[in-house]
Amino acid sequence: MIEPQIPFRLRIKANHKISDGRKTLSAKIVFAHLQKGEQITLRAKCWVWGRKVCVSALLLDDGELLIIISNQKNSHAISDYAHRWGIETLFGIFKTKGFNLESTHFNQQERLSKLFALMSLAMCWAILMGEWLHQKVPLKVNNHGRKAQSIFRYGLDYLRAIILNLDLRYDQFLDSLHFLSCT
């Protein structure tokens, strides 16, 4: 019986070995010809980690190679892999970078479903508030070119400060509710 294949897109490092069955080279050598911004999917399946896979690569603007292996012949492997960052960001917000989901110890599906709905609303609210705050008082940009904190965190910290001091900041709370009402 053949095991069902779960589709995957995995990033490998430039020093990992790729084999065509006759010759084995590091990925860095296989894709040395790429220009910045250029992307390629090898036509034939190759061997990586002892598995037959499809290999795609993109030379990023900073000169780093983004190499993706997949168990499916797909010219969209790199764009598919790019969705991972949105998912990672969402999980980070729900877990360690925002709402500490694990601290709830919920395990019933119905309760988790309601919690996810509330966290999704809170996340949207925090992002909207962060964007609004960033327009008023832009976030500091660090030496590496990234903001000192995320737009989400900026908004969440602002909302948290309001809610923890609701008696003193009630007017700000009402103003922040405006973002949820879309009016």
Side-chain angles (χ1 to χ4, degrees):
M1 184 170 141
I2 298 175
E3 288 184 38
Q5 291 264 329
I6 297 172
F8 65 82
R9 311 282 185 274
L10 296 172
R11 184 174 186 173
I12 64 170
K13 294 182 179 182
N15 64 350
H16 287 198
K17 304 294 184 203
I18 298 175
S19 174
D20 64 1
R22 295 172 301 191
K23 196 170 20 168
T24 301
L25 299 170
S26 74
K28 181 175 22 179
I29 293 171
V30 172
F31 298 111
H33 66 283
L34 291 179
Q35 302 295 311
K36 288 183 180 178
E38 187 178 3
Q39 179 177 326
I40 188 170
T41 299
L42 299 179
R43 283 182 266 168
K45 281 203 170 188
C46 302
W47 292 89
V48 175
W49 303 335
R51 291 189 140 306
K52 202 166 192 177
V53 294
C54 294
V55 183
S56 300
L58 166 68
L59 186 61
L60 301 171
D61 290 336
D62 65 1
E64 185 180 358
L65 268 172
L66 173 65
I67 307 160
I68 306 298
I69 60 172
S70 172
N71 61 343
Q72 298 176 321
K73 186 76 171 156
N74 183 349
S75 61
H76 304 288
I78 290 177
S79 61
D80 291 350
Y81 183 78
H83 293 294
R84 175 179 171 266
W85 298 116
I87 295 166
E88 294 267 345
T89 301
L90 176 69
F91 285 164
I93 287 171
F94 280 3
K95 293 166 78 178
T96 57
K97 295 180 182 167
F99 298 129
N100 295 320
L101 175 64
E102 289 101 345
S103 298
T104 65
H105 302 290
F106 281 11
N107 57 16
Q108 294 175 350
Q109 185 174 351
E110 186 177 331
R111 287 183 176 186
L112 276 170
S113 179
K114 289 176 184 177
L115 180 61
F116 278 124
L118 286 172
M119 288 189 330
S120 297
L121 283 173
M123 179 190 68
C124 292
W125 193 17
I127 290 170
L128 287 170
M129 291 306 300
E131 289 173 344
W132 175 75
L133 286 168
H134 182 61
Q135 287 175 353
K136 289 177 66 175
V137 181
L139 284 165
K140 178 184 163 200
V141 175
N142 289 334
N143 292 339
H144 51 63
R146 285 180 267 163
K147 295 178 181 83
Q149 65 182 152
S150 70
I151 294 291
F152 163 76
R153 189 80 222 182
Y154 198 23
L156 181 65
D157 290 347
Y158 179 77
L159 289 170
R160 181 181 293 153
I162 290 173
I163 291 169
L164 291 175
N165 296 298
L166 199 52
D167 52 333
L168 300 174
R169 299 176 82 177
Y170 188 71
D171 290 338
Q172 286 177 299
F173 178 70
L174 292 177
D175 289 341
S176 65
L177 284 178
H178 174 78
F179 284 94
L180 289 179
S181 68
C182 299
T183 58

